[in-house]
Amino acid sequence: MTEPDRPTPTTVVFDLGNVLIGWDQTGPLADRMSADEWHSFAEAADFPTLNTAADSGVPITDIVARAAEADPRHGEIVAGYYENFDKSLTGPIDGMAEIVADLKTAGIRLVGLSNWSAETIHHAPVVAPAISELEDIVVSGRVGLVKPDPAIFELTRGRFALDPARTVFVDDLPANVESAERLGFIGHVFSGAASLRTDLSERGLFRSY
C-alpha cells in the first residue's frame, strides 16, 4: 500500500557497485596477493583515498604516480589493480536483474548514479547486463563530483528533470542515501534484492498481474 500523502514514485536511481554489480577490490591481484595482504597494502597506501580520487576524475596514470611517490611498490600494485580491474567485478547482484526488468515492464524510469572511474566504467555492463537497461548513468569520474556531495545529486536531478519526491534512490552506503534524502529524494539503503523489492512494492512501483 502506498502512503496516502505521497504520490507513487515514477523513477528509480540506482547506484551500481554492490547494488547492481558486485565489487571486490581484492580480485585484480588475487593471483599475487592474499586478501589479507591486499588489505594490509590498502591501509598502508591509503587505497580508499586513491580510489576516491579516481572516482572523482583523476586520471589513473596520476593515481599510480601518487601511490608511487610514497613507495614505488605501492605504485606497482595500484597499476596492477587497474590493469586487471575487470577481475574486481564479481557479477550481477542476485535478484537485481529481475527487479530492473520488472520495473521497466511497469513503466518506471530507470537511471544510474555511481562513484566510478570514467576509465573503467565500460567493464560494468559487460559483467552485469542489466546496467545496459538503464536510460543513462551519471558517472562520478565523468562529472568530477562524488557521492555524497549534494552537487552530484543536484546534477542528476537537473540532467534527468527528476522530481525528488517521486524518485527512489538506491545505494548501499547510508551516507549517500542520507545526502539524497536531504534533497528530498526517497532513500533506500540497499541490503539485498528481497528487501528492495518489498520496499518498491509497498510504494506501488510494480504492476499487479
Side-chain angles (χ1 to χ4, degrees):
M1 179 179 296
T2 59
E3 296 182 21
D5 60 343
R6 182 164 58 185
T8 300
T10 58
T11 304
V12 177
V13 178
F14 288 103
D15 176 32
L16 301 187
N18 293 326
V19 173
L20 292 181
I21 185 170
W23 178 66
D24 178 357
Q25 62 182 274
T26 69
L29 298 176
D31 60 340
R32 291 173 248 176
M33 304 173 70
S34 69
D36 286 344
E37 288 171 333
W38 168 266
H39 290 303
S40 294
F41 153 75
E43 182 176 0
D46 194 8
F47 181 76
T49 296
L50 295 171
N51 188 57
T52 298
D55 286 350
S56 71
V58 176
I60 287 172
T61 53
D62 290 357
I63 300 299
V64 172
R66 290 183 186 184
E69 285 177 7
D71 185 327
R73 176 62 177 154
H74 290 176
E76 293 172 9
I77 293 172
V78 171
Y81 170 84
Y82 284 109
E83 287 166 6
N84 297 281
F85 178 82
D86 58 310
K87 295 179 181 176
S88 73
L89 303 177
T90 60
I93 298 296
D94 288 347
M96 290 304 293
E98 292 80 4
I99 285 180
V100 167
D102 290 348
L103 289 171
K104 196 165 189 178
T105 297
I108 303 300
R109 195 176 182 197
L110 307 174
V111 298
L113 171 55
S114 184
N115 285 355
W116 205 300
S117 166
E119 295 177 62
T120 59
I121 188 65
H122 63 280
H123 293 291
V126 176
V127 176
I131 292 171
S132 295
E133 298 300 312
L134 306 181
E135 177 182 328
D136 199 1
I137 304 167
V138 173
V139 178
S140 64
R142 292 174 178 163
V143 301
L145 299 166
V146 294
K147 297 175 291 181
D149 185 342
I152 197 169
F153 293 100
E154 292 285 15
L155 182 151
T156 302
R157 180 193 59 75
R159 177 175 296 184
F160 299 112
L162 301 177
D163 175 358
R166 301 192 72 177
T167 303
V168 179
F169 173 65
V170 182
D171 197 296
D172 63 312
L173 297 181
N176 295 341
V177 173
E178 291 164 8
S179 182
E181 289 177 335
R182 284 193 289 270
L183 295 173
F185 288 87
I186 304 163
H188 177 95
V189 178
F190 183 79
S191 60
S195 60
L196 176 61
R197 182 177 287 276
T198 296
D199 185 18
L200 297 181
S201 295
E202 290 174 349
R203 296 182 185 279
L205 272 72
F206 292 111
R207 289 177 179 169
S208 298
Y209 294 98

